[in-house]
Amino acid sequence: MTLEEIIEHLKLEPHPEGGYFRETYRSEGIIPQTVLGKSFDGERNYSTAIYFLLTSDNFSAFHKVAQDEFWHFHIGAPIELHMINPKGEHSHIIIGNNMLNGETPQFVVPGGYWFAAQIMEQNSFALVSCTVSPGFDFADFDLAKRSELTKQFPQHSQLVEQFTRVE
Ligand code: GUN
């Protein structure tokens, strides 16, 4: 399968963080805001899932969501995922299916962590699924501004520079 065939077959659209996506599941059940508490400004579905496809000529820019986010690897080249936690500690993980080579096929990014990703091989791509609970809402999605994230984490200015597009 070519990249173009997958994008067309799965009906993927550009994502604001970079890459392509399509929501594939949104549970009908609703969690009321009173149960969710202050981290959410309204009700949310129980959970949602998307396909997410990242290409090597692009990157997923630093962003954060309120929920823990599961990444499930399907096909393609390994993905390097960078995280900065609320204490400013940087970590990274390789998501892929070559388990004996230190890659992990399933990974959870904790809610509130800034994270960014790139494909580790040239001329290639990776297809994953990302699921969250409570369900995704762009109101809970924060795309980093380079100047603000650099100010918050000056020790990671190089990483922030590499993985942000918005000044
Ligand atoms: N739906 C739209 N964008 C996203 C995203 O970045 N993550 C998840 N889990 N769902 C989404």
Side-chain angles (χ1 to χ4, degrees):
M1 283 176 289
T2 65
L3 173 62
E4 291 74 21
E5 284 170 335
I6 294 176
I7 290 174
E8 191 182 326
H9 185 78
L10 296 180
K11 300 184 172 60
L12 306 181
E13 304 281 348
H15 196 287
E17 78 191 50
Y20 300 85
F21 83 114
R22 179 168 58 86
E23 188 173 283
T24 51
Y25 174 72
R26 178 168 288 270
S27 58
E28 288 186 2
I30 299 282
I31 313 169
Q33 201 276 326
T34 46
V35 173
L36 289 170
K38 282 201 216 92
S39 306
F40 298 85
D41 65 2
E43 62 183 29
R44 297 286 181 267
N45 299 86
Y46 291 166
S47 71
T48 54
I50 57 169
Y51 283 126
F52 181 62
L53 184 145
L54 193 59
T55 55
S56 51
D57 59 359
N58 202 347
F59 58 85
S60 163
F62 268 114
H63 64 286
K64 66 176 177 178
V65 290
Q67 311 89 326
D68 297 342
E69 182 170 67
F70 277 81
W71 286 52
H72 313 259
F73 188 86
H74 298 306
I75 48 171
I79 302 170
E80 182 172 34
L81 185 91
H82 290 279
M83 289 159 281
I84 302 175
N85 72 14
K87 289 185 190 162
E89 292 157 346
H90 168 244
S91 58
H92 71 127
I93 179 102
I94 308 299
I95 298 175
N97 53 16
N98 195 346
M99 286 158 265
L100 303 186
N101 200 28
E103 301 173 12
T104 180
Q106 185 195 85
F107 186 71
V108 185
V109 181
Y113 278 36
W114 290 100
F115 61 106
Q118 70 178 351
I119 302 297
M120 297 182 68
E121 292 169 14
Q122 288 189 337
N123 299 316
S124 116
F125 66 89
L127 176 69
V128 301
S129 286
C130 296
T131 67
V132 289
S133 176
F136 184 87
D137 189 305
F138 272 103
D140 312 320
F141 175 87
D142 199 356
L143 189 63
K145 291 200 178 68
R146 182 175 293 162
S147 53
E148 287 177 13
L149 208 60
T150 305
K151 205 166 152 194
Q152 195 179 348
F153 304 118
Q155 69 276 34
H156 302 308
S157 58
Q158 225 176 333
L159 193 67
V160 170
E161 160 98 31
Q162 189 184 348
F163 289 106
T164 47
R165 290 183 198 89
V166 186
E167 271 306 314

